Amino acid sequence: MNDLEFAELVRLHAPRVRALCAATLGNADEAEDAAQETFLKAHRSLDRFSGGSAIGTWLHRIAVNECLDRLRAAGRRRSDSLDAILEADGNALGAVLSESSPAKALEDRDLAERLLARLNPEQRMALTLKEVQGFTYEEIAEAMDCSLDSVKARIKRARAELLEITRHFSGADGV
Amino acid sequence: MNHDQIRGRLDEWLDGALSPAESSAASSHIDACVDCRNEVSRLKRLGAALFAAPAPVDPRSTEAFVARVMARVEEDAVSPWERFAARVLAPAFGLALAGLIFTISLPSAAEDDSPLGVAMVDAEAVMGVAP
């Protein structure tokens, strides 16, 4: 594959890879760097791409691994406590999750990021691939190189943990 | 499937991961079960709250991204050995060559009419020859 062909590949797959990195990593600069790194790694290993799967799937797998590495590193640095989040932003989240208002995205994306950062990297990745990318469980299993049962368990645990946290915000009957 | 079984698989129902028969059975149950319906509502609200829809992609942004990636690819195409050669060996070689040229351009110490040669002859005359 020459440079022109590779540039075309980047052009074609960049939107989804960038969206994945942005949704998974939260931080815009880091997401951009991760997306670039994904294509750089793909270029380095083009000769090892067997063609056994679609090239889009292969790129997603590289992006997933890149983001997981960064999430694991971020997890080691993370210091936000649940109490700190509750104290600072409990009301905002409670309002968004209230049954009395229509479902909508949190305007404070930093708060959403801090909540998602409480999940372990694999759970967060599986849930993001489902919620943002609209992947099927089979596609998630392929992108994360794990079993279908692992995907089900990760998504289920991720949502359960987030529901448990958000119950703190809106009371026992809330969300 | 009974209530507990369906309650445990609401995620899969929501994500379209159940078989058609299982999904149909779950849908019928959820329609009739307030508890399951509320849980589905919570799960939907949670997803909507935490995961904003991706912003529409600006084609100019994609082109700029492609350019950045290709610049890194080009930079990456230079092997570590080539980088080492360019950054370390080339200057070192240049310095060595300049030193060599400077040394060659110096007058030879063996030449009789050199100032150093004269100095040695003079020293022998003054101090004498060692026994």
Side-chain angles (χ1 to χ4, degrees), chain B residues 10 53 111 113:
Chain B
L10 287 178
E111 287 176 20
D113 57 347

Short mmCIF file of all heavy atoms in Angstrom, two decimals, chain B residues 10 53 111 113:
data_model
loop_
_atom_site.label_atom_id
_atom_site.label_comp_id
_atom_site.label_asym_id
_atom_site.label_seq_id
_atom_site.Cartn_x
_atom_site.Cartn_y
_atom_site.Cartn_z
N LEU B 10 -32.07 -7.60 31.06
CA LEU B 10 -32.62 -6.38 30.48
C LEU B 10 -31.60 -5.64 29.61
O LEU B 10 -31.95 -5.03 28.60
CB LEU B 10 -33.15 -5.44 31.58
CG LEU B 10 -34.45 -5.87 32.24
CD1 LEU B 10 -34.84 -4.89 33.35
CD2 LEU B 10 -35.59 -6.00 31.23
N ALA B 53 -24.19 12.12 21.87
CA ALA B 53 -24.03 11.68 20.49
C ALA B 53 -22.79 12.35 19.91
O ALA B 53 -22.53 13.52 20.20
CB ALA B 53 -25.26 12.07 19.68
N GLU B 111 60.69 18.66 9.41
CA GLU B 111 61.37 19.54 8.47
C GLU B 111 62.48 20.33 9.17
O GLU B 111 62.28 20.85 10.26
CB GLU B 111 60.35 20.49 7.83
CG GLU B 111 59.45 19.82 6.82
CD GLU B 111 58.39 20.77 6.27
OE1 GLU B 111 58.56 22.00 6.36
OE2 GLU B 111 57.37 20.26 5.77
N ASP B 113 63.93 23.18 8.63
CA ASP B 113 63.80 24.62 8.81
C ASP B 113 62.62 25.02 9.69
O ASP B 113 62.27 26.17 9.75
CB ASP B 113 63.71 25.31 7.44
CG ASP B 113 62.56 24.79 6.63
OD1 ASP B 113 62.00 23.73 7.02
OD2 ASP B 113 62.20 25.42 5.63
#
